[in-house]
Amino acid sequence: MCGIVGILGREPVAERLVEALKRLEYRGYDSAGVATLEGGHIARRRAEGKLRNLDLKLHAEPLNGTVGIGHTRWATHGAPTERNAHPHATEKVAVVHNGIIENFRELRHSLEAAGHVFRTETDTEVVAHLVTDEMNSGKAPIEAVAAALPKLKGAFALGFVFDGAPDLLIGARRGSPLAIGYGDGEMYIGSDALALAPFTDRIAYLDDGDWAVLSRNGAEIHDAAGHKVERPQIRSQASSFLVDKGNHRHFMAKEIHEQPEVVGHTLAYYLDMANDRVRLPKLPFDIASLKHVAISACGTAFYAGLIGKYWFERFARLPVEIDIASEFRYREAPLEPGGLAVFVSQSGETADTLASLRYAAQHGQNILSVVNVPTSTIARESHAVMPTLAGPEIGVASTKAFTCQLAVLASLAVAAGRARGTLSEVDEQRLVAALVAAPGLMAEALKLEPQIEALARNLSKAKDVLYLGRGTSYPLALEGALKLKEISYIHAEGYAAGELKHGPIALIDETMPVIVIAPYDRIFEKTASNMQEVAARGGRIILFTDAKGAEEAGVETEATFVLPDMPATITPFAYAVLIQLLAYHTAVVMGTDVDQPRNLAKSVTVE
Ligand code: F6R
């Protein structure tokens, strides 16, 4: 979603603002802008579309100010036009904003009644006018911001610069993340440490409700109640090199190919590979005495959680309830105190997942998060964190974060099974040995890329695609459909294969590709019957299976992809690679913006 940067520099900052914004591109955006003080007065350059358009504007009309703010906007209120692009400004203040100001309509009405003239449809513009209104009543910039913030409702991060104040930058955080960077005679704000990495590795994260007044000498941080507070400075690990695509055409391709390595790292963190045992960090609750697990997440992370549910229930005989976070947060689930609530999130900033976490914490749950960004809000608000070691995921469509989430959930489920006595030591060794083999099998799956690429050329002509699977292949079917629709814009649906007869079979005709994920397992025959039903109606079957599955399928397929035999526990890892490759190559054929698909954001910090 929107990205924020701000620099109080010693030299002109416009170029560096854009450089930092480029590092936030992965969050998704549809317009961008910067504001600096030129001769003490606010000057802005903004552009629709990609950052190169902003670059061109700055080239034509350079900005030379040494204090400035920048923004990539993912439209919520108002179309993604130049007029609605941030920074928004009055003659007194310029502001950049990530999140949603929920009470913007009321504020706008009262400000308009007081004579303020609005020029955009955005919720953000009210912040500029609200602060201006406070300044018009005689307040200095800092007091004006302090007076304005409590009047705003919603979740947001903000950055401000002020006309006539060349040594002042203010940042505020409620809900959406904001980091402060400490340089040598320079100070920075940014949505994350990755944006600031070229300038500094000394970072402090604002807590919820904090706001910070920056000068070139440092920062004074206030909490929501207005008390001065200290937030620890940490050394960020974010690389100052722009994470690059290596020799791949897209970040998504690179991230798909990285999976054997990063899943291997993640497994090595949780498993004692020499002895085929699980080795979890110490958890602040007793897994053995748990009665219930609640998992909550969004999108792809939700599907990882759904596969986790199958594992927890099978290995640890622990009942698991799983919810889409946007539902969980409002459905008022009764939670018996002492239960375990697990939150799965790549970014660790997803608004619905965070709200669900807070609900569970208020209801006495032990909070465990599986996150890829260990400094994220979700990680910081959890009682225990099990990081995925996927490294920065830049492609908007999640790939390596998903399989690393599987690695963590599988390790946890096996550990739970051991602690609860539902798995023997021999079972543990068998399961761990299987997990250790997963990266190698993912590498095998990558070898099928040329055939998948060929299939993608056909698939790109389809209007609708159906994905089917049973057991842990059912969440994979959902994930396959999500991946395809989000990057190729082809309509796709995932179904439990057993559900076919209950509705979706009506869609089957000779134009409909049906992708069946069916490793040969104890329920393969059931899926084979479903394939018969599809074949009988002329549907085009594309089968992902193994040698035995290919032999026993009993139907003619348009294409069959054969993976090596593998233990059932690790099929989601290897088969995930195939569905990712298929979505990726179909999108490439379609010519879409694979890494930044339309309308999508990497980190969904609004509801
Ligand atoms: C799909 C995708 C999204 C995210 C979802 C949750 O490819 O990336 O569905 O999985 O927005 O995001 P995180 O994991 O950051 O909470």
Side-chain angles (χ1 to χ4, degrees), residues 298-301 344-348 350 396-398 482-483 486 602 604:
C298 300
T300 291
V344 187
S345 174
Q346 188 286 126
S347 62
T350 301
V396 162
S398 189
L482 175 66
K483 221 71 315 162
E486 69 182 330
K602 184 69 186 159
V604 182

